[in-house]
């Protein structure tokens, strides 16, 4: 019997297993992942940004975990020789009407304890010579990293702690009793005293398998990217973001220099017709039916109809996508961009049409369920893992190692 079983081998699941191993060195810890590799879905298809936490509501888990996580992630990479760079980023207003929103972001950065600086268009050009704007905010602590590489190191450290890592193992059924849970999988049954659900795109379904009501449904949004051709990478030195629309839950298309030197442009945000739908043609009837029969989706769609239509247009029209990018860098042309990978964001949506704006962690009987952990979860993974462990009752038979 295992003391703890984590379902989901993304960055949050692995960080939780690692935190458990540190706190309970003698515990038997199991990690189950249905794919053939770690970080297969959200973690492995994101933009690789170490976020500062500037956008998030002061006092929220996102704000605290992101601010602290940006430091702990950099320290982890330094300790383990993982390629990373704290390059900073600029958030720019391209029209005068955006200046008040830019100022609000700057003030929020100060409230969240982040090193930020208001800069003029001339000062923006000293950092990003090809940007056209009327003002900007410089964020110093933003960085870039390859989160797949981070996850491989997490997995290596879990194995060194004695953890049991199982790939290609999908949970099909959960049988609960007062003292333990039996996880029935395609590779046999596993019994655990405590279950931690970090299943990302399927976290709400796994919660229901465990007789826990997740309070929200996962609605998948696909983010599509283009990549600058190698000869045009000089246009972007660091990371360039627009001023986000505070009434829309996504940040808008932006430029991100990746740790391998490539430059990605995007993403848009369109409804995915499959929870793991990375291609426009991907479709799953169950996933699609769950969304279109969910009242919360239609309430969200009605509220953001105009923005949603623009996102769809950007998905269908490269010219429209390029036009959005040209607001930031006018020199960018369609021939400078080639399609690259897409990611799918697991966004928890409540029945009233409101997006869950913070991390959603729900306790169950001998279980805990992470039912909303979108960006900045990768940045915050070490902090989220530690926080989850503190919410788990200490097993009487295990000794605790207190860490500072």
């Amino acid at each position: 019997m295992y003391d703890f079983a984590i379902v989901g081998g993304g960055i949050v699941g692995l960080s939780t297993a690692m935190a458990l191993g540190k706190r309970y060195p003698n515990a038997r810890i199991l990690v189950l992942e249905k794919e053939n590799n770690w970080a297969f879905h959200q973690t492995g298809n994101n933009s690789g940004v170490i976020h500062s936490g500037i956008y998030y509501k002061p006092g929220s888990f996102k704000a605290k975990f992101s601010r602290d996580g940006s430091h702990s992630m950099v320290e982890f990479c330094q300790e383990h020789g993982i390629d990373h760079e704290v390059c900073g980023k600029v958030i720019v207003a391209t029209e005068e009407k955006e200046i008040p929103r830019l100022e609000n972001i700057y003030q929020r950065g100060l409230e969240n304890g982040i090193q930020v600086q208001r800069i003029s268009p001339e000062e923006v050009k000293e950092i990003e010579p090809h940007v056209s704007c009327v003002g900007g905010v410089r964020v110093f602590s933003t960085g870039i990293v390859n989160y797949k590489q981070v996850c491989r190191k997490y997995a290596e450290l879990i194995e060194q702690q004695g953890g049991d890592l199982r790939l290609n193992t999908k949970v099909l059924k959960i049988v609960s009793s007062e003292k333990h849970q039996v996880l029935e999988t395609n590779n046999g049954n596993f019994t655990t005293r405590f279950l931690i659900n970090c299943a990302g795109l399927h976290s709400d379904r796994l919660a229901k398998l465990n007789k826990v009501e997740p309070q929200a449904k996962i609605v998948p949004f696909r983010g599509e990217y283009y990549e600058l051709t190698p000869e045009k990478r000089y246009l972007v030195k660091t990371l360039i973001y627009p001023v986000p629309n505070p009434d829309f839950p996504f940040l808008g298309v932006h430029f991100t220099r990746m740790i391998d030197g490539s430059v990605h442009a995007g993403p848009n945000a369109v409804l995915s017709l499959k929870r793991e739908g990375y291609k426009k043609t991907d479709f799953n009837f169950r996933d699609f039916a769950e969304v279109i029969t969910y009242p919360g989706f239609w309430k969200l769609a009605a509220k953001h109809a105009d923005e949603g239509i623009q996102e769809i247009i950007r998905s269908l029209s490269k010219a429209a996508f390029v036009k959005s990018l040209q607001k930031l860098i006018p020199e960018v042309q369609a021939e400078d961009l080639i399609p690259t990978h897409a990611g799918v964001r697991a966004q928890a949506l409540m029945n009233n049409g409101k997006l869950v704006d913070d991390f959603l962690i729900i306790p169950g009987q001998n279980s805990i369920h992470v039912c909303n952990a979108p960006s900045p979860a990768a940045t915050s993974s070490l902090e989220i893992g530690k926080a989850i462990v503190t919410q788990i009752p200490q097993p009487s038979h295990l000794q605790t190692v207190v860490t500072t």
Side-chain angles (χ1 to χ4, degrees), residues 30 182 225 267 365 388:
L30 171 70
V182 178
Y225 288 88
Q365 182 180 357
I388 290 171

Side-chain angles (χ1 to χ4, degrees), residues 349-387:
L349 176 65
M350 294 184 288
N351 194 62
N352 63 6
K354 291 185 178 180
L355 294 172
V356 178
D357 192 42
D358 210 348
F359 298 116
L360 178 61
I361 301 173
I362 303 169
Q365 182 180 357
N366 301 320
S367 65
I368 196 164
H369 301 265
V370 183
C371 289
N372 195 57
S375 179
T379 298
S380 311
S381 57
L382 291 165
E383 306 306 317
I384 296 171
K386 289 187 289 187

Side-chain angles (χ1 to χ4, degrees), residues 209-228:
L209 283 180
N210 196 219
K211 304 295 191 293
V212 171
E213 175 51 53
Q215 305 172 18
K217 183 180 290 294
I218 294 297
V219 175
F221 287 92
R222 185 175 62 255
E224 299 159 340
Y225 288 88
Y226 285 91
E227 182 178 344
L228 282 179

Side-chain angles (χ1 to χ4, degrees), residues 277-395:
Y278 298 101
K279 298 177 182 177
K280 294 177 184 179
T281 54
D282 284 344
F283 178 82
N284 178 278
F285 180 78
R286 179 191 178 190
D287 296 347
F288 175 67
E290 280 191 8
V291 172
I292 65 167
T293 59
Y294 186 54
F297 169 72
W298 292 107
K299 293 171 184 174
L300 176 74
K303 181 179 179 182
H304 298 292
D306 291 344
E307 295 93 341
I309 290 169
Q310 291 303 313
E311 295 292 332
I312 293 170
I313 290 171
R314 270 193 285 266
S315 177
L316 298 175
S317 167
K318 183 178 182 180
F321 205 111
V322 172
K323 189 175 180 180
S324 295
L325 295 171
Q326 287 174 333
K327 289 182 179 179
L328 299 172
I329 300 180
E331 292 173 60
V332 170
Q333 302 297 317
E335 58 268 25
D336 302 332
L337 297 162
I338 52 177
T340 186
H341 73 88
V344 179
R345 170 177 173 150
Q347 178 62 60
L349 176 65
M350 294 184 288
N351 194 62
N352 63 6
K354 291 185 178 180
L355 294 172
V356 178
D357 192 42
D358 210 348
F359 298 116
L360 178 61
I361 301 173
I362 303 169
Q365 182 180 357
N366 301 320
S367 65
I368 196 164
H369 301 265
V370 183
C371 289
N372 195 57
S375 179
T379 298
S380 311
S381 57
L382 291 165
E383 306 306 317
I384 296 171
K386 289 187 289 187
I388 290 171
V389 170
T390 62
Q391 295 186 37
I392 297 173
Q394 181 181 341

Side-chain angles (χ1 to χ4, degrees), residues 44 46-49 82-85 87 143-149 152 226-230 233 236-239 256-265 338 340-341:
N46 68 25
S47 58
V49 176
I82 296 171
D83 293 339
H84 69 287
E85 181 184 350
C87 55
I144 50 176
V145 71
N146 182 333
Y147 283 117
K148 285 186 178 180
Q149 191 179 359
R152 286 194 292 269
Y226 285 91
E227 182 178 344
L228 282 179
T229 57
R233 291 176 181 173
V236 178
K237 307 297 182 186
T238 57
L239 289 81
T256 305
R257 177 169 289 281
M258 311 291 279
I259 196 65
D260 64 2
S262 63
V263 177
H264 285 195
I338 52 177
T340 186
H341 73 88

Side-chain angles (χ1 to χ4, degrees), residues 91-221:
I91 304 168
V92 298
T94 58
E95 303 175 66
E96 288 293 337
K97 66 181 181 181
E98 295 175 339
I99 290 294
R101 298 202 320 242
L102 184 71
E103 181 63 26
N104 289 341
I105 287 174
Y106 171 67
Q107 293 298 331
R108 177 159 284 191
L110 294 177
E111 289 179 61
N112 284 334
I114 298 162
Q115 187 184 3
V116 290
Q117 179 186 11
R118 277 286 268 119
I119 52 178
S120 66
E122 294 75 24
E123 290 170 317
V124 170
K125 281 193 173 292
E126 291 177 9
I127 303 165
E128 294 289 352
H130 302 277
V131 166
S132 175
C133 69
V134 295
V137 170
R138 187 176 187 181
V139 187
F140 292 89
S141 59
T142 301
I144 50 176
V145 71
N146 182 333
Y147 283 117
K148 285 186 178 180
Q149 191 179 359
V150 172
C151 283
R152 286 194 292 269
K153 178 54 68 172
Y154 283 4
E156 180 185 321
L157 294 172
I158 293 164
E159 285 190 317
Q160 290 175 9
Q161 293 170 345
D164 189 358
L165 301 176
R166 304 288 184 104
L167 294 168
N168 301 303
T169 305
K170 181 178 180 178
V171 174
L172 305 172
K173 185 178 179 181
I174 301 173
V175 180
S176 301
S177 69
E178 187 177 336
K179 294 187 177 180
H180 60 259
Q181 317 257 13
V182 178
L183 309 180
E184 298 183 7
T185 81
N186 60 317
N187 277 328
N189 296 349
F190 302 88
T191 303
T192 182
R193 291 186 172 91
F194 200 92
L195 167 68
I196 301 105
N197 167 13
C198 297
L201 284 158
H202 302 281
S203 56
D204 57 339
R205 291 174 177 171
L206 194 76
K208 289 183 177 180
L209 283 180
N210 196 219
K211 304 295 191 293
V212 171
E213 175 51 53
Q215 305 172 18
K217 183 180 290 294
I218 294 297
V219 175
F221 287 92

